Amino acid sequence: MADTIKLADYLLTRLQQLGVQSIFGVPGDYNLRLLDYIVPAGLHWVGNCNELNAAYAADGYSRINGLSAIITTFGVGELSAANGIAGAYAERSPVVHIVGTPPRLQQSSRALMHHTFSDGEYGRFAAMSTHITAAQTKLVDATTAPERIDWILLQALVHSRPVYIELPDDMPGVLVSAASLNSPIRVPEVPSPIHEPQVVNRILERVYSAKRPLIYVDGESKALGIIEQIESLIDKTSWPTWTTIFGKGLINEDTPNVYGLYSAAFGDKPAQEYFESADLVLTFGPHYSDTNSFFFTAVPKNAAAITFKDSTVQIEDEVYRDLSPKTVLTKVLTALDSSRTVEAIGPEKAVVSISDIKSSDPIAQNNFFRLVNPLFREGDIILTETGTAAYGGRGFKLPPKTQLFGAVTWLSIGFMLPATLGAALARREQNKTTGATGRTVLIIGDGSLQMTAQEISVMVKEKLDILIIIINNEGYTIERVIHGRKQAYNDVPFWRHLQALSYFGADEDHAAKSTFSAKTCGELQKILEDEHVHSGRGVRMVEVSMGREDVQGVLEWVLNKQLDEERIAEKRETL
């Protein structure tokens, strides 16, 4: 390897070393010189329709690949991407946001350039990024640039959150030292503190004394890198295991003692009774937002919980710090004597059946998700957009190695369509390397689709194999449920969804063979049995029609509260 390398090549090489093969973004005059290096470096450029969609797509790619990158221009571009970067921060997705900024001379001279506030201040947007990224850096010195790049990329991996890089337009071709490229970027191991044996022993004591234990898996377990250890614990103890919404799909739901999602009072009663009476809840990667915890009703009591978080283990009310949850859990598993653990028998599993559904039944929330569930196969990626799709998808029974992305915390409507693009691209890259198979299925409402529909054109251009199922319920049903059942602001413009593929660039023959619509359960079943739908190539689209206020589960509870409030208001008016 040469002693020196251009700065852009150094950055792109580091991204490749960390597994990034594609970069998302939108060209802008302050990043064009950087973009010139992408294809020669062996990376794939994915040009998105706008920066917000690019950030969403980078998030989806990161959740499959483990890291992603997006390039935007200064000011107008990066602020458009900010909402997507914030969502990645909220839900622990490491995205490298690279911003092409004005040349150093113009910044230092405080020139009144375009894409600024015309006040000579060039640090405002970087200051904004401090609230939605784990770390930030500005590459203005050839001597320190390689070190700064290595540091910032390490922060993305350590925190499993987005990071922010400013790269002035005159810097991509600057020569820097290439010496560090021979040393891989790795997350350092946390040294074992003196109190680690005490923590391991306390956990083992609780495990051996438990009479009614369970295992509870949340979504931040992935950021902790402990999924393999959790699976071993589930197998070794055979204890009843549930997940949160965020944790769903991280562990194998085919395992006999894995029950899937715990929904507290919004799920089946036997599961709630077992959970609330447990004397030990081994909790991994908690992320207790209101959405993820069913309005905080699915949070274990401290008295029963042992909780593994970023660098802490909490046993009841006592928090032990500066620990590696992965190391502690590994040592617990190594020392665990299964003969000393209780044989915990969980409640009977609920059986999902479609035998009560008639072909003539109109498609509704209470039958649609059950009819779709048999479509899924091992290795699939399933994405359910914020709204009725996300709430209905919580009940899916997932095949092994299937990943589910649903609404967790950020809940930015429109996120899932570009995220599907990113996830499908990452999975295709993985499949080429591993020879594995797996499809990508998006379930999205008509209102959400209108937010980011342009990215269907990029899916078509990239020749991705994606099945999109559109729930047409004439607007923002999720918002109607919360407030404004009959209000016009929850309506959306009428779209002819089945013309989208040809409009967004698919050839007419493919579009004609790849668009379907269903209003009855029989029509939907016939469509889903079509080989071109469930195993075809390219983008396929199925539109299903549902009622404007058709909801189930927790959304039905929220809707009923609104209806009760309306009845009370009506009574007051008549008095």
Side-chain angles (χ1 to χ4, degrees):
M1 184 177 290
D3 293 337
T4 58
I5 188 172
K6 290 181 179 179
L7 175 57
D9 285 326
Y10 186 97
L11 173 58
L12 298 174
T13 299
R14 278 309 205 190
L15 289 171
Q16 285 179 303
Q17 289 176 347
L18 293 173
V20 174
Q21 298 182 46
S22 297
I23 295 181
F24 302 89
V26 177
D29 50 358
Y30 295 134
N31 66 28
L32 296 175
R33 289 172 179 77
L34 173 60
L35 300 188
D36 284 338
Y37 289 84
I38 291 176
V39 173
L43 287 159
H44 175 55
W45 168 250
V46 183
N48 297 95
C49 298
N50 59 56
E51 290 88 355
L52 173 61
N53 291 353
Y56 286 156
D59 187 344
Y61 183 98
S62 177
R63 296 191 194 209
I64 297 297
N65 187 62
L67 187 71
S68 68
I70 170 178
I71 297 176
T72 67
T73 197
F74 181 73
V76 293
E78 62 182 300
L79 293 187
S80 292
N83 179 35
I85 298 298
Y89 185 92
E91 298 185 6
R92 301 296 295 268
S93 184
V95 177
V96 180
H97 186 187
I98 304 162
V99 178
T101 64
R104 289 170 292 177
L105 175 62
Q106 290 165 344
Q107 292 193 48
S108 62
S109 66
R110 298 174 62 84
L112 304 185
M113 300 297 296
H114 59 281
H115 297 340
T116 73
F117 295 140
S118 291
D119 60 0
E121 295 291 338
Y122 284 86
R124 297 187 189 278
F125 308 127
M128 293 179 191
S129 77
T130 61
H131 299 283
I132 56 173
T133 57
Q136 309 80 36
T137 194
K138 186 174 183 179
L139 305 178
V140 294
D141 187 330
T143 303
T144 60
E147 177 187 351
R148 301 301 298 170
I149 290 170
D150 291 358
W151 174 80
I152 198 78
L153 295 179
L154 179 60
Q155 300 313 302
L157 300 177
V158 167
H159 300 286
S160 192
R161 282 195 160 110
V163 295
Y164 177 92
I165 300 174
E166 292 182 76
L167 204 163
D169 189 40
D170 62 319
M171 287 291 288
V174 171
L175 291 176
V176 299
S177 172
S180 297
L181 290 177
N182 292 315
S183 303
I185 297 173
R186 292 196 181 100
V187 176
E189 292 187 10
V190 178
S192 294
I194 193 169
H195 57 272
E196 183 181 85
Q198 177 191 355
V199 175
V200 171
N201 288 335
R202 280 202 66 186
I203 294 170
L204 287 169
E205 288 171 5
R206 288 292 308 278
V207 166
Y208 293 144
S209 64
K211 303 300 181 187
R212 197 172 172 83
L214 66 89
I215 297 168
Y216 195 35
V217 183
D218 206 342
E220 296 198 18
S221 299
K222 186 176 180 182
L224 299 179
I226 57 175
I227 302 301
E228 184 178 338
Q229 286 79 6
I230 292 172
E231 292 272 19
S232 296
L233 182 68
I234 292 167
D235 291 337
K236 199 166 184 178
T237 63
S238 295
W239 285 354
T241 301
W242 282 270
T243 75
T244 62
I245 299 158
F246 199 11
K248 190 170 175 63
L250 294 182
I251 57 174
N252 184 3
E253 292 190 4
D254 266 0
T255 305
N257 52 308
V258 174
Y259 287 79
L261 177 67
Y262 176 61
S263 306
F266 301 100
D268 61 284
K269 197 69 175 175
Q272 184 188 15
E273 289 173 352
Y274 187 98
F275 195 98
E276 292 185 352
S277 63
D279 61 351
L280 176 61
V281 183
L282 294 173
T283 305
F284 300 99
H287 183 99
Y288 295 143
S289 66
D290 59 342
T291 311
N292 193 46
S293 65
F294 289 90
F295 305 112
F296 313 110
T297 62
V299 179
K301 300 180 182 68
N302 275 354
I306 296 178
T307 305
F308 292 75
K309 298 177 74 172
D310 279 311
S311 59
T312 67
V313 174
Q314 182 171 342
I315 303 175
E316 298 173 6
D317 292 321
E318 190 165 1
V319 178
Y320 296 91
R321 302 187 182 281
D322 305 317
L323 291 158
S324 163
K326 184 174 183 178
T327 301
V328 171
L329 183 53
T330 300
K331 290 186 176 181
V332 167
L333 285 166
T334 301
L336 183 62
D337 181 356
S338 297
S339 68
R340 297 179 60 187
T341 62
V342 69
E343 184 181 352
I345 306 298
E348 188 174 342
K349 284 190 175 183
V351 177
V352 178
S353 172
I354 60 173
S355 60
D356 62 313
I357 302 174
K358 299 176 183 177
S359 294
S360 58
D361 288 344
I363 297 172
Q365 292 287 320
N366 64 6
N367 56 41
F368 168 76
F369 295 96
R370 288 186 286 156
L371 291 172
V372 169
N373 205 150
L375 175 74
F376 306 137
R377 299 198 296 252
E378 182 171 330
D380 285 353
I381 302 170
I382 304 157
L383 301 98
T384 57
E385 174 62 88
T386 295
T388 59
Y391 283 88
R394 294 174 177 184
F396 283 143
K397 174 70 168 60
L398 301 178
K401 299 178 182 177
T402 300
Q403 292 182 267
L404 175 73
F405 296 161
V408 178
T409 294
W410 193 241
L411 275 61
S412 184
I413 296 177
F415 162 72
M416 283 297 174
L417 193 145
T420 300
L421 160 66
L425 184 59
R427 176 51 53 86
R428 184 170 69 183
E429 292 172 358
Q430 287 182 347
N431 290 349
K432 285 180 180 178
T433 302
T434 64
T437 58
R439 304 160 305 166
T440 305
V441 180
L442 168 66
I443 304 174
I444 186 169
D446 55 340
S448 300
L449 181 78
Q450 293 192 11
M451 294 278 192
T452 51
Q454 314 97 310
E455 294 308 305
I456 295 173
S457 65
V458 183
M459 294 175 178
V460 171
K461 175 186 160 214
E462 293 290 333
K463 297 181 171 60
L464 292 168
D465 301 329
I466 297 171
L467 173 61
I468 301 174
I469 302 177
I470 303 169
I471 298 174
N472 187 341
N473 46 22
E474 300 180 6
Y476 299 121
T477 293
I478 182 72
E479 311 296 1
R480 296 190 204 281
V481 166
I482 296 168
H483 183 78
R485 285 190 312 121
K486 306 297 183 183
Q487 296 289 358
Y489 51 66
N490 284 325
D491 298 338
V492 296
F494 171 75
W495 280 18
R496 301 186 189 277
H497 297 112
L498 300 188
Q499 296 180 18
L501 290 185
S502 56
Y503 177 80
F504 284 124
D507 67 67
E508 294 296 333
D509 183 60
H510 174 81
K513 294 178 180 177
S514 303
T515 53
F516 308 84
S517 64
K519 293 185 177 180
T520 68
C521 293
E523 291 172 347
L524 178 59
Q525 285 180 300
K526 186 176 180 181
I527 290 169
L528 296 178
E529 289 166 0
D530 188 313
E531 185 176 359
H532 182 66
V533 172
H534 63 70
S535 301
R537 312 295 291 181
V539 181
R540 290 94 66 213
M541 189 173 287
V542 178
E543 180 181 28
V544 298
S545 300
M546 294 190 198
R548 290 160 62 96
E549 295 180 21
D550 181 19
V551 291
Q552 63 176 339
V554 65
L555 290 184
E556 187 174 14
W557 176 77
V558 175
L559 177 61
N560 288 334
K561 282 185 65 179
Q562 184 183 169
L563 290 170
D564 289 341
E565 290 170 0
E566 290 176 3
R567 292 188 194 102
I568 293 169
E570 288 173 3
K571 285 182 179 179
R572 285 174 179 163
E573 289 177 3
T574 58
L575 292 177

